[in-house]
Amino acid sequence: MKFLAVYSGVAGLAIFGQLTNASTIILTVATGAISTGVTKYVAEFGGRARQQLRIIALALRITLICSFCTGMFLALFSAPLGYLLFETHDYDAVLQVFGLTVVFYAVNTLIMSIVNGLKLYKTYVLINIVSSLTMALATVIMVYYWGIWGALLAYVTTQSAILIITLSILNKKWMRLRMLSYTWDSELI
């Protein structure tokens, strides 16, 4: 944060704060607000792989649908949202990029909820540490070259890289495409 404040000033720090606060709301909508429930039910059905798989498949579908709709909304309404958040249209493109990357952000959040529910705490902590370091490095580099623009772009784009890092750490052991083949399970909703 200090690096950001030095290179972009107090106004830049305020703009970055606006984006981070807004992204909390956006991510909640993009994940369908199910992260806590996913963690709870994956943990509750520990040892019953079929039930866990049903929960994960449904959660993935909800997350993909909600994040796609949220991304479309961000991309289509970036101008009014940009003015509402930043009181300028200078950063509308950041919201458009966020609209494109929010799916990665939401899927990564879902995966982390699943990892937490599976009680893979060491893996959870490792992913968080690597994610934080990746985010910090990308932010420092992008702020150095592009100021506040770089900070905002780093914030909305690094989730794509973090999802790749998460999947590589997990080795995709429990991520199978058959999760998508489960039908919509109204019993779970």
Side-chain angles (χ1 to χ4, degrees), residues 120-168:
L120 301 172
Y121 301 124
K122 288 181 182 177
T123 304
Y124 186 85
V125 170
L126 174 65
I127 291 169
N128 276 321
I129 290 170
V130 173
S131 297
S132 295
L133 292 174
T134 302
M135 180 79 151
L137 181 63
T139 302
V140 166
I141 291 168
M142 292 178 83
V143 166
Y144 181 77
Y145 286 106
W146 298 295
I148 187 60
W149 247 98
L152 299 176
L153 282 176
Y155 188 79
V156 300
T157 59
T158 54
Q159 288 302 318
S160 304
I162 290 172
L163 176 61
I164 293 167
I165 290 166
T166 300
L167 292 174
S168 65

